[in-house]
Amino acid sequence: MSFEKFEIEGHPVRWFLELPSTNTYLKEHPELLDEAGQVVVTSHQTAGRGRRGRLYWSLPGKNLTFSLVLHPECPQAQLTLYALWSGIAVVRSLEVLGVAPRLKWPNDVLIGNRKVCGILAESVWTKQGNCPALILGIGINVLGQPQEFPAELWSMITTVAASGAKEVTPETLLPQVLQALDAVDRQFREQGMATLREEWLQRSGMLGNAVRFEQQEGWKTGVVAGIGPEGALLLELTSGEVISHISGDVEWTNKEE
Ligand code: BTN
């Protein structure tokens, strides 16, 4: 597996033509986790991993698939917040291209009701430091049409280009997303979570909406009441009780909303 090595926006980058998974590559090369800011990117990810053991599908040369190493220096419980905030960075970098993305908890980015970006954040303990390193894996459908993906995904996904953005490629988008991630990282370190939480809620439009959410016992419904201090989705049940939803899928009760 050969790669090219260069810098983008001050980040050391390893760019592979093909790789099974950029997150897995970093896990298999723990020496790269010692350097915050390291980026691994591939033009064709052949076995991309999604949340909850799912497969993340990408089109050769048309998706932006990369992983960034972060050293968050925050309590481990707050690492989930980083995954949330990284969605804000993706939204900020896509909207300057003239599309209207929004967030869906925990960190999917949608255009309309279709997913355009997925994020897989994994923490790994290294020899250095008393906080784990965070591998932030981001996959954005940049070029092509949904019909180029497997048929079962057609109605669920879109691409940046199919949503009307002009003159975008995975290569031009990467520096913009890295810049936006650096800005969000700085904002979190300097100002804490308050302003980012506001921005997340505003960009998701989920506050006050009825949703279905998946728990061990099955699907339940509730109304979104906010984001908790550690990134959980706060849901008000019909009983009035507010619960923290930490993992498991969430869907709008009315998919057209
Ligand atoms: C999801 O939607 O469930 C998360 C998808 C995350 C995909 C990205 S692509 C780059 C990085 N490498 C992986 O194997 N997965 C993440």
Side-chain angles (χ1 to χ4, degrees), residues 20-24 40 42 45 47-52 54-56 58 64-67 107-108 115 117-122 136-140:
S21 155
T22 54
N23 269 34
T24 304
V40 172
T42 182
Q45 188 169 252
R49 294 188 297 110
R51 286 178 60 239
R52 313 187 73 212
R54 294 182 185 129
L55 184 76
Y56 174 78
S58 38
L64 174 57
T65 45
F66 74 99
S67 303
N107 45 24
D108 284 349
K115 180 161 161 171
C117 165
I119 298 173
L120 177 67
E122 299 182 285
L136 199 60
I138 300 187
I140 306 178

Side-chain angles (χ1 to χ4, degrees), residues 2-164:
S2 65
F3 56 85
E4 281 191 63
K5 227 169 155 178
F6 42 87
E7 275 209 359
I8 299 179
E9 297 293 324
H11 291 265
V13 173
R14 287 188 178 189
W15 196 307
F16 292 80
L17 274 181
E18 196 174 284
L19 205 59
S21 155
T22 54
N23 269 34
T24 304
Y25 180 85
L26 278 168
K27 284 183 168 179
E28 288 169 351
H29 294 78
E31 70 283 2
L32 294 179
L33 300 178
D34 291 340
E35 187 170 4
Q38 174 72 50
V39 171
V40 172
V41 54
T42 182
S43 304
H44 183 201
Q45 188 169 252
T46 53
R49 294 188 297 110
R51 286 178 60 239
R52 313 187 73 212
R54 294 182 185 129
L55 184 76
Y56 174 78
W57 189 269
S58 38
L59 302 173
K62 296 185 177 179
N63 278 57
L64 174 57
T65 45
F66 74 99
S67 303
L68 166 67
V69 176
L70 290 174
H71 289 177
E73 289 165 28
C74 65
Q76 198 182 355
Q78 286 189 6
L79 290 179
T80 314
L81 289 172
Y82 264 83
L84 282 188
W85 305 158
S86 56
I88 293 181
V90 173
V91 167
R92 286 184 189 170
S93 47
L94 292 185
E95 72 184 359
V96 296
L97 299 171
V99 293
R102 64 180 172 136
L103 290 160
K104 174 172 174 271
W105 190 90
N107 45 24
D108 284 349
V109 179
L110 313 182
I111 297 179
N113 285 324
R114 292 159 176 244
K115 180 161 161 171
V116 73
C117 165
I119 298 173
L120 177 67
E122 299 182 285
S123 53
V124 179
W125 285 97
T126 63
K127 277 180 276 152
Q128 282 192 348
N130 47 12
C131 207
L134 192 68
I135 302 175
L136 199 60
I138 300 187
I140 306 178
N141 308 333
V142 181
L143 297 172
Q145 297 296 320
Q147 291 74 12
E148 294 173 53
F149 288 78
E152 65 270 21
L153 298 177
W154 290 356
S155 63
M156 290 188 268
I157 59 152
T158 189
T159 72
V160 182
S163 307

Side-chain angles (χ1 to χ4, degrees), residues 190-216:
E190 289 170 7
Q191 301 170 17
M193 62 185 285
T195 53
L196 285 169
R197 176 159 52 186
E198 280 310 301
E199 182 172 349
W200 194 93
L201 288 169
Q202 185 257 321
R203 289 189 180 282
S204 76
M206 288 181 92
L207 197 62
N209 274 271
V211 291
R212 280 163 28 89
F213 58 99
E214 197 184 11
Q215 299 243 299
Q216 257 173 1

